[in-house]
């Protein structure tokens, strides 16, 4: 038996889960050196929603965040989350954009890229895995974990074997909803360890209240690494807390070797941050508790709050329970997609539409139509023809890898944004979030030359001397 390794999520998934990814780089840097001293397997500090939130809400360059943390964190691997062919956006991008994004991520300081696809369609992982390995990075392929008649241990073992064949450096069981139960985790990890030679990592959320128990059973079965969050930003919709797990494993064959005194210092740094965001309302106390509905409806914590928000905007909050019951039915109709970005948002929105209109699939978002056409990838089980007809009529679905239909985009994007580019990475920011990035670039330009953004003529703009 080997010591358990820990990935700390406080700089990415913890604050993404608890307070909408609003931690600023200036709040991360003072504690970064201390985090580097712990001896973590890795620090997850980039990817997911951090890229979008940095540009959209914090007026920060996400690339500069990565570089700033890399300068301070010299001994611990930096890790990010990547949505395969979707990168950090919500649609598929051309292969040249995906490859360049991966290249620049590693160049700027990322060591480990956790790559997943919402449908577990490995064709959507190919380009990013290949690019990661070509740049000398660690390509961790993630299984998007869900439960359905089609999702069982045999399914995940087969996917894991295929991921290993694809070149995966390690494999993560990504339980975004917090529905992986302890004894299932034991059986799943046991079978994965028999089937593949690469390390196995487990990621879950505390939403349903079972996560720490799940970790203990997964560790007993041979899991190599687990994801935790330092205690002030743990629990609820975040990860299990780091310190209790470290204490529980002390003087056992799985002893992490991490120092609780150092971890306590780190916890003391983050505690006032949590209190501040609780007082400001950025952290909703509801996300800190246990929501057992997750185990019934398999709805991730973030999706629950999104459903409430959608219903509130329509004045239909009384329909919440109806929507919760509709979600699994929509999911079954659509071939049992795992409820992870972007599928969680898409399935949730369709469930809301079905309930509010009183007629199933009377209103269908474009994203759901594209999904049924095969533009997001292959569904776990085929969608019934009657459901297909309701959603896309007589239109044909594709069977090829969706990205094969996308022409190279990089050079076109460079041309579109050339007047704002100050670094090569700007083109990639623009590729992912064109409007948000352009607004950020305008503001950056205005600040640089100390003028009001509204005072320059966009068509005849020249840089002041």
């Amino acid at each position: 038996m080997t010591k358990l390794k820990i990935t700390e999520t406080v700089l990415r998934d913890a604050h993404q889960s608890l307070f909408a990814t609003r931690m600023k780089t200036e709040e991360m840097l003072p504690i970064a050196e201390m985090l580097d001293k712990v001896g973590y397997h890795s620090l997850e500090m980039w990817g997911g929603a951090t890229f979008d939130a940095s540009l959209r809400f914090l007026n920060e360059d996400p690339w500069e965040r990565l570089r700033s943390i890399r300068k301070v964190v010299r001994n611990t691997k930096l890790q990010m989350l990547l949505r395969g062919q979707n990168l950090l956006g919500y649609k598929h991008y051309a292969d040249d954009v995906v490859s360049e994004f991966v290249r620049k991520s590693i160049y700027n300081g990322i060591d480990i890229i956790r790559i997943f696809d919402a449908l577990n369609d490995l064709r959507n992982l190919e380009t990013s895995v290949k690019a990661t390995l070509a740049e000398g990075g660690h390509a961790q392929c993630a299984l998007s974990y869900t439960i359905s008649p089609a999702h069982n241990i045999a399914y995940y073992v087969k996917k894991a074997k295929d991921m290993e064949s694809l070149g995966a450096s390690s494999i993560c069981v990504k339980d975004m909803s917090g529905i992986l139960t302890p004894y299932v985790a034991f059986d799943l990890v046991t079978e994965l360890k028999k089937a593949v030679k690469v390390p196995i990592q487990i990621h879950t959320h505390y939403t349903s209240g079972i996560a720490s128990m799940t970790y203990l059973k997964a560790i007993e079965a041979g899991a190599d690494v687990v994801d935790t969050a330092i205690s002030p930003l743990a629990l609820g919709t975040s990860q299990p807390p780091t310190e209790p797990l470290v204490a529980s494993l002390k003087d056992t064959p799985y002893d992490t070797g991490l120092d609780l005194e150092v971890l306590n210092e780190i916890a003391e740094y983050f505690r006032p941050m949590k209190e501040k965001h609780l007082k400001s309302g950025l952290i909703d106390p509801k996300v800190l508790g246990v929501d057992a509905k997750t185990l019934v409806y398999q709805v991730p914590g973030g999706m629950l709050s999104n459903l409430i928000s959608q219903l509130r905007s329509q004045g239909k909050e009384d329909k919440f329970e109806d929507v919760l019951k509709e979600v699994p039915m929509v999911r079954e109709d659509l071939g049992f997609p795992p409820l992870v970005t972007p599928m969680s948002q898409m399935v949730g929105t369709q469930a809301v539409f079905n309930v509010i209109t009183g007629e199933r699939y009377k209103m269908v978002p474009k994203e759901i139509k594209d999904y049924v056409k095969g533009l997001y990838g292959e569904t776990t089980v085929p969608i019934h023809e009657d459901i297909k007809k309701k959603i896309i009529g007589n239109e044909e679905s594709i069977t090829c890898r969706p990205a094969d239909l996308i022409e190279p985009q990089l050079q076109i994007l460079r041309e579109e944004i050339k007047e704002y580019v100050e670094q090569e990475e700007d083109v990639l920011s623009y590729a992912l979030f064109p409007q948000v990035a352009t607004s950020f670039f305008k503001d950056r330009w205005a600040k640089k030359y100390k003028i009001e953004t509204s005072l320059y003529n966009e068509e005849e703009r020249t840089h002041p001397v």
Side-chain angles (χ1 to χ4, degrees), residues 82-143:
L82 193 81
R83 301 179 190 129
Q85 205 73 27
N86 288 9
L87 293 176
L88 304 178
Y90 306 100
K91 64 177 185 180
H92 281 354
Y93 298 91
D95 286 337
D96 62 342
V97 174
V98 173
S99 296
E100 182 66 3
F101 190 93
V102 168
R103 190 175 77 83
K104 282 298 183 184
S105 298
I106 293 173
Y107 173 79
N108 281 281
I110 289 294
D111 299 293
I112 301 171
I113 304 184
R114 178 177 292 169
I115 306 162
F116 79 95
D117 177 65
L119 299 177
N120 289 319
D121 186 337
L122 268 60
R123 299 175 303 169
N124 294 334
L125 307 183
E126 289 172 4
T127 302
S128 42
V129 169
K130 184 179 177 182
T132 301
L133 297 174
E135 294 300 319
H138 178 115
Q140 182 178 86
C141 288
L143 297 158

Side-chain angles (χ1 to χ4, degrees), residues 327-350:
V327 165
M329 291 192 282
V330 170
R331 190 166 160 258
E332 181 174 357
D333 288 345
L334 299 180
F336 296 108
L339 294 179
V340 65
T341 302
M343 291 312 307
S344 52
Q345 292 89 333
M346 290 159 56
V347 169
T349 299
Q350 186 63 64

Side-chain angles (χ1 to χ4, degrees), residues 200-371:
I200 303 297
Q201 184 156 356
I202 310 294
H203 169 93
T204 191
H205 290 252
Y206 216 94
T207 319
S208 64
I210 61 175
S212 289
M213 293 179 280
T214 295
Y215 274 178
L216 283 176
K217 294 305 293 182
I219 292 162
E220 287 177 0
D224 299 281
V225 194
V226 298
D227 290 8
T228 64
I230 203 75
S231 56
L233 296 188
L235 302 172
T237 49
S238 180
Q239 275 72 54
T242 306
E243 305 96 309
L245 186 65
V246 169
S248 299
L249 298 175
K250 189 171 173 56
D251 298 326
T252 74
Y254 315 105
D255 194 326
T256 63
L258 303 189
D259 188 335
L260 280 169
E261 294 289 336
V262 178
L263 292 172
N264 186 56
E265 283 188 57
I266 293 167
E268 289 303 316
Y269 176 83
F270 286 105
R271 195 161 283 115
M273 190 185 298
K274 177 183 181 179
E275 295 305 319
K276 178 182 80 172
H277 291 315
L278 272 169
K279 285 178 183 174
S280 72
L282 195 54
I283 297 180
D284 185 338
K286 289 177 185 174
V287 306
L288 300 177
V290 167
D291 194 335
K293 281 183 182 148
T294 303
L295 295 168
V296 178
Y297 300 112
Q298 299 180 35
V299 177
M303 186 177 169
L304 281 172
S305 56
N306 192 42
L307 291 176
I308 293 168
S309 176
Q310 287 187 54
L311 290 169
R312 187 176 291 141
S313 68
Q314 300 284 331
K316 301 281 188 181
E317 288 176 84
D318 59 313
K319 299 289 186 184
F320 182 59
E321 290 294 330
D322 293 336
V323 170
L324 275 185
K325 290 172 185 171
E326 178 67 13
V327 165
M329 291 192 282
V330 170
R331 190 166 160 258
E332 181 174 357
D333 288 345
L334 299 180
F336 296 108
L339 294 179
V340 65
T341 302
M343 291 312 307
S344 52
Q345 292 89 333
M346 290 159 56
V347 169
T349 299
Q350 186 63 64
V352 169
F353 283 173
N354 287 358
V355 169
I356 287 178
T357 61
E359 183 181 335
R360 305 186 80 233
Y361 305 107
K362 180 180 181 180
M363 285 177 63
V364 180
K366 178 184 182 298
E367 290 80 5
I368 292 286
K369 290 179 180 178
D370 286 347
Y371 165 78

